[in-house]
Amino acid sequence: MSNDLYSDIIVIGGGPAGSTVATKLVRQGFSVRLFEKEKFPRPHVGESLLPFCYPIFEDLGVLDILKKKFVRKPGACFVNQDGQDEMNYCFNKVIDEEMSLSFHVRRDEFDQILLDNSKANGVDVYEEHRVVKTKIDEGGCTVSVADKSASQAIYNTKFIVDASGRDCLMAKANKTLEPIEDMDRVAVSVHWKCKEIPIALRSGSVRITYLDGDNRKGWIWCIPISPSRVSMGVVVDSQYYKSAIKDLRKQSSDWQKAYYLNELQSSLSISNIMAEMEIDGDLVVNGNYSYKSTQKYGDQFALVGDSAQFIDPIFASGVYIAMKSASLVADGIVEKINDNQSSKLEKAYEIINNGYAVVHNLIKLYYNPSILNFADSNLFGQNKGSQFSEHNHSFALIHLLLAGDFFEKGDVYLPFLESLKNESQLNRWKNLIGWDKHVSKDHHDDQDCGKTFEQIFNLANLQ
């Protein structure tokens, strides 16, 4: 075995999951190689992050640079399609003040920061190197890698971490990938530029607008990623998308843009936001929006982030799930390599699968507004006093879920989501969640979450 082609661990993919797991493992004394097919920085969707990313950023040592570089995110605002009703869920209602202020990021810059941090910690990073094949047997693992000139080399390792994102390299090769029922979605998105951030986005909250009717099962995201730039995307059911574009293909050579603008203009509130901006860039279309691998790990490999599972990202959970799952799995890999034990790895995936299940059930609730309409300001009653107090605890939990608290407490949140259909069952879960500390304030609508424009947009650095 050639020493220059050997490392203890090989990580496939340099996105948030790959860089996180690589950094944590190299800190444990392992030699780690990371192969990334692209040259960073590169564009990517998924710009809105959850507050529960905060401890991971602290652990990785990147929190201070994120504070200086990116727009802050104080909450999530859900809006009905007609724009007549909306609810802003402020994270500072349920979690500590500092952690409550999350981030909106440009993913090209954010992912570069994480990958550079991996390099600084000692990970050997190879950009523009595509993994074309993996092989696992009792004697060890091999990874075949092609560089940008298509020249190939075979690397040897004890353990492979697949963080290849939606390429799902190992799941596809092992034929373990399957769709998630009734979650097949298509997303079309692009950045917009403006002289000033539209009024509706000045609070800094991610803005999620329902798309109703015609079997859309959809939503629109608006994310202010700088004082002069907004990410805006449309997500709909794939069958609706195919039907909607059928005639447009015949009518226009730029049918994707026509479809995208039609969907945005179907919402009055979005039309008002569009009037203050113009498109700046090329449309990005992403399909295959919900899937999972039926085998996420083995004795010599593990899948993390989107390579293991991906679900409709209504609640901006993608980056957090990727980084949290990578952190949990890294601890399991350490035990597996050092002690040949799998208990921590098994526990990690039990937690991860529970987290996915919670998000999946929350998504299903979103698509059934007759049960729970996140944009309904009357959820708390017309009088946000005595009537509201009856629902204070339950909506504290909704705030916590939207902030990202769905991993370690997944076994509690799953029955809680069921209990939303029957308010009388809620008392059973109060002690389990430890939520007394979360209900000292009212959790009702707060348009600016108590933050100034300057605090959100960090004007000293974001010009």
Side-chain angles (χ1 to χ4, degrees), residues 54-322:
Y54 223 76
I56 304 174
F57 296 151
E58 286 185 302
D59 179 51
L60 294 176
V62 299
L63 182 59
D64 287 343
I65 189 171
L66 300 184
K67 288 180 178 179
K68 294 176 182 177
K69 197 168 186 65
F70 296 120
V71 171
R72 308 308 297 272
K73 172 187 174 181
C77 184
F78 291 85
V79 188
N80 281 341
Q81 184 169 349
D82 61 11
Q84 297 301 305
D85 207 2
E86 64 181 59
M87 176 67 71
N88 195 21
Y89 295 81
C90 299
F91 302 136
N92 62 9
K93 302 298 184 183
V94 291
I95 54 182
D96 292 340
E97 183 67 24
E98 184 178 10
M99 181 174 156
S100 70
L101 206 52
S102 189
F103 300 94
H104 298 305
V105 301
R106 289 195 59 145
R107 281 292 301 277
D108 53 351
E109 298 175 0
F110 173 75
D111 290 11
Q112 180 78 71
I113 289 168
L114 295 181
L115 192 62
D116 286 347
N117 188 59
S118 292
K119 295 175 185 176
N121 276 271
V123 177
D124 291 324
V125 174
Y126 296 73
E127 296 179 64
E128 297 180 288
H129 280 66
R130 179 185 295 272
V131 172
V132 295
K133 185 179 180 181
T134 62
K135 183 179 179 181
I136 296 174
D137 56 41
E138 292 183 0
C141 311
T142 58
V143 177
S144 300
V145 182
D147 64 19
K148 62 181 179 180
S149 68
S151 176
Q152 290 197 21
I154 298 176
Y155 294 83
N156 304 285
T157 188
K158 294 178 182 177
F159 202 97
I160 301 172
V161 181
D162 183 356
S164 61
R166 290 168 61 207
D167 285 352
C168 301
L169 185 76
M170 296 187 74
K172 287 180 179 177
N174 295 333
K175 295 181 170 54
T176 61
L177 206 62
E178 64 180 28
I180 297 175
E181 185 179 0
D182 199 33
M183 285 288 161
D184 190 11
R185 301 287 186 268
V186 175
V188 184
S189 62
V190 72
H191 283 183
W192 295 63
K193 64 181 180 180
C194 51
K195 292 181 179 180
E196 292 184 347
I197 286 290
I199 293 174
L201 301 176
R202 289 173 70 87
S203 73
S205 291
V206 59
R207 196 169 179 87
I208 305 297
T209 300
Y210 278 90
L211 281 180
D212 303 322
D214 300 320
N215 295 313
R216 278 187 174 99
K217 299 180 184 177
W219 51 286
I220 298 170
W221 80 69
C222 289
I223 304 171
I225 56 176
S226 86
S228 59
R229 184 169 293 269
V230 173
S231 171
M232 201 147 56
V234 175
V235 179
V236 295
D237 180 80
S238 63
Q239 292 303 313
Y240 168 81
Y241 174 76
K242 291 174 184 177
S243 175
I245 66 173
K246 188 174 181 180
D247 291 334
L248 289 174
R249 281 179 178 271
K250 301 174 184 177
Q251 299 169 7
S252 171
S253 59
D254 202 0
W255 56 269
Q256 285 182 332
K257 183 177 180 180
Y259 159 79
Y260 173 71
L261 293 176
N262 285 346
E263 294 299 328
L264 294 181
Q265 289 164 350
S266 72
S267 166
L268 178 60
S269 64
I270 296 297
S271 294
N272 291 336
I273 292 173
M274 291 167 61
E276 303 179 53
M277 306 188 298
E278 61 183 65
I279 289 177
D280 185 29
D282 298 324
L283 288 177
V284 177
V285 181
N286 288 297
N288 188 25
Y289 238 46
S290 295
Y291 57 81
K292 64 180 178 181
S293 174
T294 56
Q295 184 180 10
K296 294 184 172 69
Y297 70 100
D299 285 341
Q300 295 163 284
F301 76 94
L303 315 183
V304 295
D306 293 353
S307 69
Q309 186 164 335
F310 187 79
I311 50 181
D312 193 326
I314 295 171
F315 302 108
S317 58
V319 170
Y320 174 55
I321 289 177

Side-chain angles (χ1 to χ4, degrees), residues 2-14 18-19 21-27 29-37 114-129 131 143 145 155-157 161:
S2 173
N3 286 334
D4 61 341
L5 295 179
Y6 171 80
S7 56
D8 296 326
I9 299 162
I10 286 178
V11 177
I12 306 169
S19 58
V21 73
T23 298
K24 290 184 71 70
L25 288 169
V26 81
R27 286 176 175 177
F30 297 111
S31 56
V32 181
R33 271 192 173 95
L34 184 153
F35 296 107
E36 165 55 47
K37 67 179 182 179
L114 295 181
L115 192 62
D116 286 347
N117 188 59
S118 292
K119 295 175 185 176
N121 276 271
V123 177
D124 291 324
V125 174
Y126 296 73
E127 296 179 64
E128 297 180 288
H129 280 66
V131 172
V143 177
V145 182
Y155 294 83
N156 304 285
T157 188
V161 181

Side-chain angles (χ1 to χ4, degrees), residues 385-395 423 426-427 430:
S386 59
Q387 287 182 312
F388 167 76
S389 65
E390 297 173 4
H391 303 278
N392 198 18
H393 287 346
S394 58
F395 284 96
E423 190 74 18
L426 282 172
N427 289 337
K430 290 180 183 177

Side-chain angles (χ1 to χ4, degrees), residues 314-339:
I314 295 171
F315 302 108
S317 58
V319 170
Y320 174 55
I321 289 177
M323 298 183 74
K324 181 66 174 180
S325 66
S327 296
L328 292 168
V329 169
D331 293 337
I333 292 171
V334 173
E335 181 192 54
K336 183 62 182 175
I337 293 178
N338 287 341
D339 305 323

